[in-house]
Amino acid sequence: MIDADDTLPDVSVSQLLVTSETFQQLPHPALAFDRAGRLALWNPAVIAFHGLNPDTVDGLDVCQLFPPEAADTLAAAVAHAREHGWQGVLPVLAAGNEVRQAEVRMAVIGEQVVVRYRDVTDREQVRWKRRAARRWVILRGLAAVVVDELRSPRPAWAVQVRRLLAGAGAAFDSVIDQGAGRTVLVSGFHPPEQKMIAAFLDRCQYRTLVVEHPDETPERLDDHRGTVRAVVLGPLARPFVLTDLHAVHPHLPAVLIGWERGAGRLPYPVAAARLVRGVAEAVGAGEMELAGCDECDEPADFSDS
């Protein structure tokens, strides 16, 4: 059964526009924007949620209500809404530029896209943490069995897995190192340790994108350039991979595990606490760089031409 609190009010989108009083009294944010992405209609909940100045909302670019990394997903959702309507979860910028998760519903009425949404950050965070915790427990048990059955001397990847298993608990308890949903690219490790590193970082509240073949890492970054906050490269990644990554994203922070040269180097095998601290510092540096950018690279195009 779906709890009533987990879904948006089932109100006809067309009725919202026809009956302006209903639109204005909705408890959750509701707005409409034109083909240029400019706000044409909004209710008081939009002003309160985003901390906007009521005198400057008219004609505001709707992109300013979403974080830069959501631009591609937002554009895709709008394109889908023009054909079939759309509903899903998107990151939004709340008051104070705080990134929150919102359940969003879109539909097109005439020339305008009508959007209703509500903050479900706490719900999504709980679900995500539970999934990450379950995955870690399962993989931890399997990894321990596999590593214990290996004969000595154990391969380097097995030693790395052991390091993670031994120090994971303390890393999970380090509040300042938790990722709060930031996305990290992981590549350049043997498959078993790469899977464990990804599960470990997920458990530390990062969202990981794993690339099996290191040489394909720049291409994967290009697909998610607005989302990835840092990259973790292992000893199997060749130096040109980092060069190519910086060609895509010049200021992308990198954590280099087992590399001989380069900033952000950590030893291989690396302890769990050092790994998560290195990732936290890299992500922090990346967000400071991002905060220094005054504009997005390109404005979003919401036309269907």
Side-chain angles (χ1 to χ4, degrees):
M1 178 182 296
I2 299 177
D3 189 281
D5 290 336
D6 285 343
T7 59
L8 289 170
D10 188 16
V11 179
S12 168
V13 175
S14 59
Q15 186 67 20
L16 293 180
L17 293 184
V18 173
T19 312
S20 60
E21 184 177 353
T22 302
F23 186 91
Q24 294 298 322
Q25 291 180 357
L26 282 173
H28 303 298
L31 58 84
F33 60 87
D34 60 23
R35 290 185 178 276
R38 302 294 179 179
L39 263 62
L41 188 66
W42 59 91
N43 68 350
V46 169
I47 303 296
F49 180 75
H50 296 284
L52 301 174
N53 181 345
D55 297 330
T56 61
V57 177
D58 191 16
L60 183 72
D61 189 336
V62 72
C63 286
Q64 296 185 39
L65 306 182
F66 296 83
E69 61 267 24
D72 291 343
T73 305
L74 175 62
V78 172
H80 193 279
R82 292 192 182 281
E83 298 294 331
H84 312 287
W86 187 87
Q87 182 172 349
V89 176
L90 287 175
V92 294
L93 283 178
N97 285 327
E98 180 184 2
V99 177
R100 307 287 292 177
Q101 296 296 315
E103 184 181 58
V104 180
R105 181 178 295 176
M106 296 185 192
V108 175
I109 303 297
E111 295 295 312
Q112 294 182 336
V113 177
V114 180
V115 186
R116 291 176 289 155
Y117 50 102
R118 75 184 191 93
D119 190 344
V120 293
T121 304
D122 294 340
R123 185 194 75 187
E124 292 299 310
Q125 194 80 348
V126 168
R127 289 179 176 176
W128 173 46
K129 286 181 180 180
R130 287 175 178 170
R131 287 194 297 267
R134 286 196 297 267
R135 181 176 178 231
W136 172 256
V137 170
I138 293 171
L139 289 179
R140 179 188 62 190
L142 292 174
V145 171
V146 171
V147 171
D148 286 345
E149 290 182 350
L150 293 174
R151 296 180 179 179
S152 296
R154 292 188 175 96
W157 66 261
V159 177
Q160 175 63 83
V161 169
R162 264 295 179 202
R163 279 282 184 91
L164 285 179
L165 296 178
F172 299 155
D173 292 336
S174 178
V175 177
I176 63 172
D177 293 324
Q178 303 307 293
R182 275 73 168 185
T183 301
V184 177
L185 203 59
V186 178
S187 184
F189 299 90
H190 288 91
E193 63 182 340
Q194 187 150 285
K195 183 173 291 188
M196 290 303 299
I197 288 172
F200 167 73
L201 291 177
D202 284 343
R203 178 63 177 78
C204 290
Q205 300 180 40
Y206 291 91
R207 296 183 186 272
T208 55
L209 292 173
V210 176
V211 183
E212 294 183 3
H213 303 289
D215 293 359
E216 298 176 359
T217 310
E219 182 179 352
R220 189 71 178 278
L221 174 63
D222 195 31
D223 293 337
H224 299 273
R225 72 168 75 193
T227 303
V228 175
R229 289 287 179 264
V231 60
V232 179
L233 293 177
L236 300 185
R238 294 180 287 181
F240 79 83
V241 172
L242 182 59
T243 301
D244 289 350
L245 285 171
H246 284 157
V248 176
H249 187 328
H251 302 292
L252 180 71
V255 180
L256 309 176
I257 310 298
W259 284 46
E260 294 182 359
R261 299 181 181 86
R265 285 179 295 153
L266 293 176
Y268 178 80
V270 64
R274 292 197 67 181
L275 173 59
V276 72
R277 176 58 56 85
V279 171
E281 291 175 349
V283 168
E287 293 193 337
M288 289 181 63
E289 182 70 33
L290 185 64
C293 298
D294 295 326
E295 319 181 327
C296 299
D297 293 338
E298 298 179 359
D301 181 8
F302 294 113
S303 68
D304 54 357
S305 57

